[in-house]
């Protein structure tokens, strides 16, 4: 279910036209003639379920350190907008390789196994097939408005009247400062919750309230609403 963390970071950088590859390819390091990004796993914290990736932005000496810093800033923004908590270090010069280097540490929520390091935050949440990258919690509650009926003098109900059935849903997001916020929808939508074990699809959804709280970590957005139906989807072809 997860994505290789290295493949994920490389894909993000390449989509923004960076020349990017793994930092230790098992072969002779090529001569740097243009700005490149070298990626490797810096740290895995199993206790906190985080994976830290180091991205080294390297530029030839002839381009100057400022060019390297600006490209590093661009890479930092790309990673931050896609779920990374980033720290960009200062620019240094490698006299042997004759390149300027800026290192970025990007920390993602993820899990690891014996063979790979994957990006898997526990669940993915999609609204009309649009992933909400910054979702940190999701809840659902079955609601049935059926009422119990009592007869005079009876302590226990004798029957129940049919009522409408719906699901109460809520989604909490933590959007980093400066990251783009997904536009709210006022129309009905389909919400898909993808976990390691199954995919739940909620249909006929509407948000009834959206609360925004501004914190030092970013904007916390809490959306609450309802869904008219729910189903479990086997082997859903959802792009992760």
């Amino acid at each position: 279910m997860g994505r290789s963390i290295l493949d994920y970071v490389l894909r993000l950088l390449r989509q923004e036209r960076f020349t990017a590859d793994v930092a230790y390819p098992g072969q002779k390091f090529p001569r740097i003639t243009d700005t490149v990004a070298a990626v490797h796993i810096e740290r895995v914290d199993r206790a906190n379920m985080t994976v830290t990736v180091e991205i080294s932005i390297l530029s030839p000496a002839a381009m100057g350190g400022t060019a390297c810093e600006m490209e590093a800033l661009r890479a930092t923004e790309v990673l931050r907008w896609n779920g990374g908590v980033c720290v960009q270090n200062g620019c240094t010069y490698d006299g042997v390789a004759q390149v300027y280097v800026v290192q970025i540490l990007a920390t993602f929520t993820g899990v690891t196994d014996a063979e790979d390091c994957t990006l898997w935050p526990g669940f993915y949440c999609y609204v009309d097939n649009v992933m909400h990258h910054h979702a940190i919690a999701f809840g659902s509650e079955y609601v049935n408005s059926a009422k119990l009926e009592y007869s005079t003098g009876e302590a226990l109900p004798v029957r129940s009247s049919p009522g409408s059935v719906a699901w109460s849903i809520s989604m909490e997001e933590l959007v980093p400062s400066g990251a783009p916020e997904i536009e709210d929808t006022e129309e009905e939508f389909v919400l898909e919750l993808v976990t390691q074990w199954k995919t739940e699809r909620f249909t006929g959804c509407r948000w009834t309230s959206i609360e925004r709280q501004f914190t030092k970590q970013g904007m916390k957005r809490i959306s609450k609403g309802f869904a008219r139906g729910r189903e479990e989807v086997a082997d859903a072809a959802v792009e992760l």
Side-chain angles (χ1 to χ4, degrees):
M1 292 294 296
R3 293 170 291 184
S4 164
I5 184 66
L6 291 180
D7 289 343
Y8 178 62
V9 171
L10 288 171
R11 178 161 60 86
L12 290 176
L13 294 172
R14 288 167 180 168
Q15 284 175 346
E16 297 300 322
R17 292 177 292 181
F18 281 93
T19 301
D21 209 337
V22 292
Y24 306 112
Q27 59 193 26
K28 184 178 179 180
F29 197 80
R31 183 171 177 268
I32 303 300
T33 59
D34 200 355
T35 301
V36 299
V39 179
H40 75 99
I41 296 172
E42 170 66 19
R43 182 171 58 252
V44 176
D45 186 341
R46 289 182 179 271
N48 294 308
M49 294 183 64
T50 60
V51 179
T52 300
V53 177
E54 182 179 73
I55 302 93
S56 297
I57 305 298
L58 303 97
S59 295
M63 296 181 65
T66 300
C68 185
E69 290 175 329
M70 297 307 295
E71 283 297 276
L73 280 172
R74 191 164 69 89
T76 296
E77 290 303 292
V78 171
L79 298 168
R80 185 168 67 97
W81 288 356
N82 289 276
V85 178
C86 299
V87 176
Q88 179 176 326
N89 296 317
C91 184
T92 60
Y93 180 69
D94 185 336
V96 176
Q98 296 185 339
V99 294
Y100 286 99
V101 183
V102 175
Q103 293 175 326
I104 304 166
L105 295 177
T107 300
F108 297 87
T109 301
V111 296
T112 60
D113 56 34
E115 298 180 354
D116 200 1
C117 188
T118 57
L119 181 65
W120 180 247
F123 71 93
Y124 293 110
C125 194
Y126 295 80
V127 173
D128 282 343
N129 294 320
V130 176
M131 178 191 285
H132 283 241
H133 291 278
H134 305 297
I136 59 175
F138 179 83
S140 62
E141 181 183 3
Y142 178 75
V143 179
N144 191 330
S145 63
K147 295 182 179 180
L148 299 178
E149 297 181 0
Y150 296 82
S151 294
T152 303
E154 296 290 337
L156 298 176
V158 295
R159 68 179 66 86
S160 63
S161 59
S164 61
V165 174
W167 289 82
S168 173
I169 58 175
S170 64
M171 179 173 64
E172 183 175 335
E173 301 169 88
L174 184 60
V175 183
S177 300
E181 181 183 357
I182 297 177
E183 185 177 350
D184 301 326
T185 177
E186 297 181 358
E187 305 296 329
E188 283 196 356
F189 56 87
V190 175
L191 185 148
E192 288 188 317
L193 179 71
V194 183
T195 70
Q196 189 173 1
W197 304 277
K198 62 183 178 181
T199 295
E200 297 178 62
R201 178 178 293 153
F202 296 87
T203 57
C205 303
R206 280 187 185 273
W207 296 129
T208 55
S209 70
I210 298 176
E211 178 184 358
R212 290 174 172 81
Q213 302 174 359
F214 291 89
T215 71
K216 292 183 178 180
Q217 291 74 37
M219 183 188 70
K220 182 180 292 186
R221 184 168 71 171
I222 304 172
S223 304
K224 297 180 180 180
F226 65 87
R228 301 185 190 279
R230 173 193 170 276
E231 60 179 337
E232 293 187 9
V233 184
D235 299 324
V238 179
E239 174 63 32
L240 301 181

